[in-house]
Amino acid sequence: LIAETITNEALELVKSNKVCGEFAVKVIYERYSEMLRQSKSELIALRESDLKSIASSLIENILRHGDSTFKTIPSGGIVVADELYPIEMLKLVGQGIKGIVTKKGGITSHVAIIARNNGIPYLIIPEIDLNQIKNYENHYAILDSLNGKFIINPDEESSKTYNSILARYMKVQEVVKRYAFMEAFTIDQDRIHVLCNVSNIEEARVASTAGCDGVGLFRVEFLYMSEKPPNYETLYNTFEKLAALFKNKPVIVRAPDLGADKPLPYIKLEEPNPFLGLRGIRLLLEYQEELFKPFIKAFLAIANKFNNVKLMFPMVSKVKEIYEVVELIEKVKDKYVEDFRKELKLGVMIETPAAALMIDKLAETGYISFISIGTNDLTQYVLAVDRTNAKLSRLYSEINPAVLRLIKIAVDQARRYNIGIEVCGEIASKQYAVPILLGLNIKELSVNPVVVGIIKYTISKLSSKNLENELIPELLRLYDEAEVLSKTKHYLRKVGVELLS
């Protein structure tokens, strides 16, 4: 989408101003780069490097420059750099590199995604001395991304230990790969659905061949990060490709969760506290004409064509918001969609304590058939910790007992009203959290595509009944997330689970 946007706008500039192609790309790049740099969001700011990489690649193609990047990197090497761009990362993957260490970057950047999707260990070490690293070129090193260790010139004992760990890890990984394409059942034959989180059509293509049972969260936000919101045709084509990729498997599309750490270039909010401001469903209802109606119109058209799509709404905090959304859907349906024959399947993201505590009232509206627990935001609101603030990272934990207690309340309410339940937050992709979520009676996990095999493997070693009756009561009595993690990992080892992530 970024490449398409830059290309189209650069072509328009070439035609209208009669400038050369490389100059046009440079102008468009600088415009969007400045927009991203001015963003107060760390997540959006990380995309500036992706933008630069794509612009550089386009100029390189225009000038017909040869591919000279990283030609001397040997297969099996570990690359240490100040920063990498996605196009460079893809070239390195093709050359067979085995690890990446950078001084700059982020775990949500495209470089990190490419590394995860290719099983390449990646560490970000802000304090690393690159000048000193140059002295160790072609030296032996160990990169342990599970424990955050980078060891240059390890001693004999460390080498022997890590070779043993690596051999066992690779053996288990081969077993795990087979689990990805199997249905996930617990020992006591509970069927657990492992879906995938995806952010664009390319990620959806990867997920469709990764063994996932459908899409538990399709994020549409990046469609809205250009100079204007996407039109009906763009939205319709995106939804159509997504639904077709998964055919008879469920696909849950989240209405755009904009605002807060995803500011819009064409709507100036200027809020003192954006995470507590106009975001998610509040923003969509405020800007119905510009944002919400075109989205609903496109989704309804796809829902009328495909049977596998569902729609959910982000950042709900009041029952009244559901009535307002349904009223708007009916208006759009009557005006734009002829002969609508389907029953819409609507859901709510549980990201606010208010929504978690009001599931009974949400269910009583008669419109909500499922909930999806977004633990990323729910955790920050329960603990009053800004999840984008690196200085507070030690206080942010999705397995804090307070968060787990609230999830249990939400799940118990949803089960009482026969509402479907899934978890789509990052916690679902963490192997150590699987027994916690299963023990809380959650039967659907939406995870990153690369960990589908690991999650299904872990499920196969667990008993839902034992988790519910033994592990969960003990965890909910604790007061510290470190204790929760320790006891959960001990439990996993006790039942014979190899910890891989």
Side-chain angles (χ1 to χ4, degrees):
L1 181 63
I2 306 175
E4 183 180 351
T5 300
I6 294 177
T7 303
N8 290 341
E9 293 192 21
L11 284 172
E12 187 63 34
L13 192 61
V14 169
K15 293 175 184 176
S16 59
N17 289 27
K18 307 299 182 184
V19 297
C20 64
E22 56 268 34
F23 178 78
V25 170
K26 182 176 182 291
V27 169
I28 301 302
Y29 157 69
E30 289 176 348
R31 180 195 305 166
Y32 283 107
S33 178
E34 180 62 24
M35 189 186 303
L36 291 177
R37 280 199 297 271
Q38 289 179 358
S39 168
K40 295 180 181 179
S41 162
E42 293 182 23
L43 295 175
I44 298 299
L46 285 172
R47 301 304 180 202
E48 201 276 335
S49 64
D50 300 336
L51 185 72
K52 182 177 180 180
S53 173
I54 291 168
S56 298
S57 183
L58 287 171
I59 291 174
E60 182 179 3
N61 288 335
I62 291 170
L63 298 176
R64 299 184 181 277
H65 282 174
D67 178 3
S68 58
T69 309
F70 299 123
K71 281 188 175 179
T72 60
I73 301 297
S75 177
I78 296 172
V79 173
V80 183
D82 180 61
E83 187 175 13
L84 286 175
Y85 301 117
I87 195 72
E88 296 168 335
M89 184 63 187
L90 289 170
K91 292 174 183 176
L92 289 169
V93 170
Q95 293 181 31
I97 55 102
K98 294 296 183 185
I100 298 287
V101 177
T102 62
K103 189 178 181 73
K104 301 174 185 176
I107 59 172
T108 60
S109 69
H110 281 309
V111 168
I113 291 170
I114 294 168
R116 284 197 296 270
N117 287 346
N118 287 276
I120 296 172
Y122 176 33
L123 282 185
I124 301 166
I125 309 177
E127 66 276 10
I128 196 166
D129 187 339
L130 295 176
N131 290 324
Q132 185 180 5
I133 289 294
K134 289 178 181 178
N135 299 325
Y136 294 103
E137 189 173 348
N138 296 320
H139 282 231
Y140 182 56
I142 293 171
L143 179 57
D144 177 2
S145 63
L146 295 181
N147 297 299
K149 295 181 179 180
F150 181 46
I151 307 169
I152 301 174
N153 288 335
D155 57 34
E156 187 176 344
E157 185 178 349
S158 294
S159 296
K160 186 177 179 180
T161 298
Y162 269 99
N163 278 327
S164 176
I165 293 172
L166 181 60
R168 188 173 76 249
Y169 181 86
M170 296 305 293
K171 185 177 180 180
V172 176
Q173 278 283 24
E174 286 303 312
V175 175
V176 163
K177 285 179 183 178
R178 296 198 297 271
Y179 278 91
F181 300 95
M182 299 165 59
E183 292 185 341
F185 284 93
T186 62
I187 292 172
D188 44 357
Q189 293 303 297
D190 250 359
R191 173 77 160 95
I192 310 297
H193 292 87
V194 181
L195 303 101
C196 285
N197 298 331
V198 294
S199 300
N200 55 53
I201 293 300
E202 288 311 308
E203 284 185 23
R205 291 188 204 282
V206 172
S208 69
T209 61
C212 62
D213 299 321
V215 175
L217 171 63
F218 182 68
R219 303 181 180 97
V220 299
E221 288 75 38
F222 210 74
L223 289 171
Y224 291 79
M225 294 300 141
S226 298
E227 286 190 317
K228 57 184 179 181
N231 58 25
Y232 168 83
E233 287 74 20
T234 298
L235 290 162
Y236 180 91
N237 291 336
T238 300
F239 298 157
E240 183 178 43
K241 290 173 184 175
L242 177 69
L245 275 172
F246 287 88
K247 297 178 181 176
N248 297 320
K249 294 181 178 180
V251 170
I252 298 176
V253 176
R254 182 177 68 185
D257 183 12
L258 305 167
D261 58 343
K262 295 180 281 288
L264 298 172
Y266 39 84
I267 296 178
K268 301 299 181 184
L269 298 177
E270 297 180 354
E271 296 181 300
N273 194 337
F275 277 103
L276 295 180
L278 204 60
R279 64 168 298 196
I281 198 66
R282 301 171 187 174
L283 182 67
L284 295 177
L285 290 171
E286 182 75 16
Y287 293 93
Q288 294 181 19
E289 295 297 329
E290 304 94 321
L291 301 176
F292 209 9
K293 283 185 179 179
F295 173 86
I296 292 173
K297 180 183 174 184
F299 182 85
L300 289 175
I302 290 300
N304 210 21
K305 184 176 180 181
F306 292 89
N307 294 317
N308 60 332
V309 294
K310 304 178 185 181
L311 175 60
M312 69 177 173
F313 308 109
M315 290 304 301
V316 170
S317 59
K318 294 174 67 69
V319 175
K320 183 183 177 183
E321 290 165 340
I322 299 304
Y323 287 111
E324 291 178 16
V325 166
V326 170
E327 183 181 356
L328 184 60
I329 288 174
E330 291 302 319
K331 287 180 180 177
V332 173
K333 188 191 301 182
D334 292 342
K335 185 172 182 179
Y336 295 109
V337 187
E338 294 182 7
D339 191 26
F340 190 84
R341 303 175 301 279
K342 304 292 179 66
E343 180 182 349
L344 277 180
K345 295 176 182 177
L346 304 179
V348 167
M349 289 281 288
I350 303 300
E351 301 165 283
T352 66
L357 294 169
M358 295 292 283
I359 288 174
D360 56 337
K361 296 303 178 184
L362 290 168
E364 287 172 5
T365 65
Y367 297 120
I368 302 303
S369 62
F370 69 94
I371 62 169
S372 184
I373 302 174
T375 53
N376 303 356
D377 270 313
L378 185 63
T379 298
Q380 91 167 334
Y381 291 126
V382 170
L383 301 180
V385 174
D386 181 352
R387 64 187 175 91
T388 67
N389 188 335
K391 293 181 180 179
L392 299 179
S393 60
R394 62 185 177 82
L395 301 176
Y396 179 92
S397 173
E398 296 160 315
I399 58 171
N400 182 289
V403 178
L404 299 183
R405 287 186 180 197
L406 187 58
I407 291 174
K408 187 177 190 310
I409 290 171
V411 170
D412 288 347
Q413 282 196 40
R415 285 171 61 83
R416 191 175 302 122
Y417 284 84
N418 199 30
I419 298 291
I421 309 158
E422 73 159 28
V423 172
C424 65
E426 282 299 308
I427 192 174
S429 297
K430 295 173 180 176
Q431 186 185 17
Y432 64 77
V434 173
I436 300 174
L437 299 176
L438 267 56
L440 289 169
N441 262 312
I442 294 162
K443 311 298 183 187
E444 292 190 6
L445 308 177
S446 192
V447 308
N448 299 326
V450 72
V451 300
V452 169
I454 293 174
I455 300 302
K456 287 187 177 182
Y457 155 76
T458 307
I459 290 167
S460 74
K461 303 293 183 181
L462 300 171
S463 161
S464 294
K465 185 176 180 180
N466 290 347
L467 293 170
E468 184 178 357
N469 295 333
E470 297 173 12
L471 181 65
I472 294 302
E474 182 179 7
L475 296 185
L476 294 180
R477 285 194 293 267
L478 301 175
Y479 64 88
D480 180 73
E481 56 266 20
E483 285 187 287
V484 172
L485 181 61
S486 175
K487 288 187 180 295
T488 304
K489 285 189 173 182
H490 174 75
Y491 184 91
L492 285 169
R493 294 188 186 98
K494 186 177 73 172
V495 298
V497 174
E498 290 273 2
L499 290 171
L500 299 170
S501 66

